[in-house]
Amino acid sequence: MRKGGSNWVDGENFFDRDTELEALEERVREGTHTLLTAQRRMGKTSLVRELQRRLAETGEFEVVFVDLEGAFDPADAIAEIGVQARPVHAAWDQIKNRFANLLRNAGDRIEELSVADLKVTLRAGIGVGNWAQRGDTILAALSESGRPVVLAIDELPILVNRLLKDETGQVTPAGKREVEAFLSWLRKAGQDHRNRVMMILSGSVSLEPLLEQAGLSAQANIFPPFDLKPWSEETAVSCLEALARSYGVGLGPEVGRDMCRRLRCCIPHHVQMFFDRLHEHLRRAGRKDASLEDVDKVYVQEMQGVRGQVDLQHYEGRLATVLGRAGYTVALEILTATAVKGDITTETINRYRNDFMTRDAHDGCGAPAFDHVLHVLQHDGYLEPNDGGYRFVSGLLEDWWRGRYGQSFVPVFDR
Ligand SMILES: Nc1ncnc2c1ncn2[C@@H]1O[C@H](COP(=O)(O)OP(=O)(O)OP(=O)(O)O)[C@@H](O)[C@H]1O
Ligand SMILES: [Mg+2]
């Protein structure tokens, strides 16, 4: 098993998740669509990629993976689905036929075009007025390809968020209409091609709070959620041991358990990161065996040091995207208050709510409602209920947050 890095993993580098793979395979075989949810870095993309790899290997299914991170509107999304359908030969032949006008210029070179060039070509023929119809054509081609298709759509919530809001983070009526139209189309496609195209939707932010904020929750109801949980301590320790074996590192179970306890929540990416930092530390020290002292040193100096902070920025970036500037400021305060104290009580939350309402009334900056921010923080796995209040789910994230913002923090009621 090789180290995971920060991109998705599959095949030999994919560890555990047998129960989840089995459950998702069952859903696919029963023709059920899925909304895959989990907090950040839990391995959603990897799980879908690995599921698709295994299903494709059986020869019974076709698989298409679409990433909408770069899509700005429904037409971009349709072009992306179209171009990613290329490996499904029967579908691609049909798509080429139906889009013949557009693709004619490319002539015989069409099979040599890069995915990016092909997408530009397809996109040129898809616009505001015809994306739904073009999308129908592509979905029909997939549906009639001979084998059932597992269509994974990753980062759908990023597109939904982009469509929904203006630059201040406020939901606009036009954005809402566009999201409604796109999700209705997706829903209808899912129903029309039942048992032939099974969709798995996922993303690095949660779809539900976004839809709830826009009053569009019903749009996702043909996609039953599947919640991907962190690894248990036992699984995470086994993963650390497997990595240690691959890299010739001596890592006893008590060392592995200590690492997991520090993380508190065994998010696969954090487990991988911890191993990687420990491995590098041992290499620098010219040793092979990891001790509890090594773990302590690596956790404090490496995981929470400058390089760890880079990963934290990744979290902050996504939060800022989904909450907008004003909502993000509120999230920053709540998270910092929680990290500094170890938890946050309902009373403190209420103080922040009141403070926020007063400030919002003054500057009218269009912040999403305070409770929406809390909902996102809970849904995306930052905070969990604890004794009537909240605390950080992940020990690492809590330590990161305290390290970064704790020192300059002044509680709202002390100002
Ligand atoms: N099953 C797994 N086995 C081993 N490593 C894993 C597994 N799942 C995830 N990882 C580790 O976590 C990292 C992130 O995985 P992935 O990109 O699949 O997560 P994600 O939930 O899609 O993240 P994001 O929230 O950013 O979209 C991988 O690079 C890998 O290091
Ligand atoms: Mg992902």
Side-chain angles (χ1 to χ4, degrees):
M1 182 182 176
R2 313 311 297 168
K3 290 192 267 196
S6 65
N7 211 345
W8 55 274
V9 291
D10 70 352
E12 286 177 351
N13 301 330
F14 184 90
F15 191 79
D16 184 62
R17 299 296 196 197
D18 291 337
T19 324
E20 289 87 350
L21 285 166
E22 200 180 296
L24 287 178
E25 176 167 347
E26 189 179 287
R27 283 182 176 218
V28 166
R29 289 187 182 279
E30 287 173 356
T32 308
H33 306 294
T34 294
L35 175 63
L36 182 59
T37 63
Q39 72 195 79
R40 295 233 47 205
R41 313 311 272 147
M42 197 61 85
K44 300 170 290 283
T45 305
S46 303
L47 182 66
V48 174
R49 292 279 194 175
E50 177 63 8
L51 175 75
Q52 288 195 322
R53 193 188 68 80
R54 292 189 189 187
L55 290 176
E57 229 173 46
T58 66
E60 297 168 66
F61 295 91
E62 299 284 2
V63 301
V64 176
F65 189 95
V66 179
D67 184 344
L68 295 186
E69 172 141 25
F72 280 82
D73 54 26
D76 280 346
I78 300 298
E80 189 66 45
I81 300 174
V83 83
Q84 296 303 339
R86 179 148 79 158
V88 185
H89 298 296
W92 183 239
D93 285 343
Q94 261 208 57
I95 293 171
K96 277 193 297 192
N97 262 336
R98 303 296 294 268
F99 286 79
N101 288 348
L102 287 173
L103 300 173
R104 187 175 305 126
N105 286 346
D108 293 340
R109 289 186 311 114
I110 183 125
E111 297 308 335
E112 292 155 31
L113 284 185
S114 68
V115 169
D117 287 341
L118 205 50
K119 195 164 76 196
V120 172
T121 313
L122 272 190
R123 177 67 181 81
I126 306 175
V128 181
N130 70 355
W131 63 259
Q133 183 206 344
R134 297 295 204 187
D136 288 343
T137 305
I138 292 168
L139 261 289
L142 283 172
S143 176
E144 290 154 19
S145 71
R147 271 177 243 173
V149 177
V150 183
L151 172 62
I153 304 186
D154 205 5
E155 302 299 13
L156 174 69
I158 297 283
L159 170 64
V160 166
N161 186 62
R162 249 180 214 146
L163 292 176
L164 209 51
K165 298 174 186 170
D166 63 17
E167 53 296 340
T168 68
Q170 193 142 26
V171 175
T172 67
K176 195 175 150 178
R177 275 196 302 276
E178 219 173 0
V179 167
E180 202 168 8
F182 186 64
L183 292 181
S184 300
W185 174 81
L186 202 61
R187 232 159 73 112
K188 182 156 187 310
Q191 279 160 344
D192 288 352
H193 303 293
R194 231 193 123 84
N195 294 316
R196 294 190 305 278
V197 178
M198 277 68 73
M199 298 188 193
I200 304 179
L201 312 181
S202 55
S204 54
V205 295
S206 302
L207 187 62
E208 298 96 314
L210 278 175
L211 294 185
E212 196 181 287
Q213 188 189 14
L216 293 172
S217 298
Q219 291 295 341
N221 64 9
I222 69 151
F223 301 99
F226 182 90
D227 194 30
L228 183 62
K229 301 282 186 211
W231 278 335
S232 66
E233 183 176 309
E234 196 191 339
T235 306
V237 169
S238 309
C239 175
L240 288 167
E241 287 172 349
L243 286 165
R245 272 194 303 279
S246 299
Y247 290 89
V249 168
L251 188 146
E254 74 289 355
V255 170
R257 276 198 294 275
D258 186 50
M259 291 167 81
C260 294
R261 249 169 251 143
R262 285 169 192 266
L263 295 176
R264 191 155 77 215
C265 170
C266 294
I267 296 170
H269 184 232
H270 296 171
V271 174
Q272 289 262 13
M273 211 168 107
F274 211 163
F275 177 80
D276 177 54
R277 304 288 145 87
L278 183 66
H279 183 214
E280 281 188 25
H281 163 81
L282 290 172
R283 186 146 49 198
R284 277 197 305 274
R287 287 187 283 117
K288 285 276 178 203
D289 292 335
S291 66
L292 291 173
E293 291 75 52
D294 290 320
V295 170
D296 186 58
K297 216 174 198 164
V298 168
Y299 187 72
V300 175
Q301 294 177 3
E302 302 283 327
M303 296 288 276
Q304 295 181 56
V306 175
R307 285 177 56 199
Q309 301 280 332
V310 172
D311 289 275
L312 175 61
Q313 275 170 18
H314 211 252
Y315 279 80
E316 293 179 311
R318 276 289 190 266
L319 258 188
T321 304
V322 78
L323 293 175
R325 192 175 48 81
Y328 178 62
T329 313
V330 176
L332 210 62
E333 288 213 43
I334 296 175
L335 290 174
T336 311
T338 311
V340 167
K341 298 262 302 182
D343 61 7
I344 192 163
T345 61
T346 316
E347 196 193 348
T348 312
I349 294 262
N350 287 336
R351 280 177 151 157
Y352 275 105
R353 188 184 283 111
N354 289 339
D355 177 68
F356 167 76
M357 299 300 182
T358 325
R359 264 189 296 163
D360 192 45
H362 281 304
D363 60 20
C365 56
F370 180 92
D371 291 325
H372 169 66
V373 174
L374 257 188
H375 189 185
V376 169
L377 291 180
Q378 218 187 130
H379 220 285
D380 281 6
Y382 289 83
L383 299 179
E384 63 185 356
N386 177 44
D387 283 344
Y390 294 95
R391 69 164 193 169
F392 267 85
V393 178
S394 156
L396 176 62
L397 207 54
E398 178 178 55
D399 290 338
W400 266 346
W401 218 277
R402 193 172 42 261
R404 187 153 159 110
Y405 296 107
Q407 285 195 329
S408 55
F409 175 68
V410 184
V412 66
F413 27 89
D414 287 352
R415 281 175 204 149

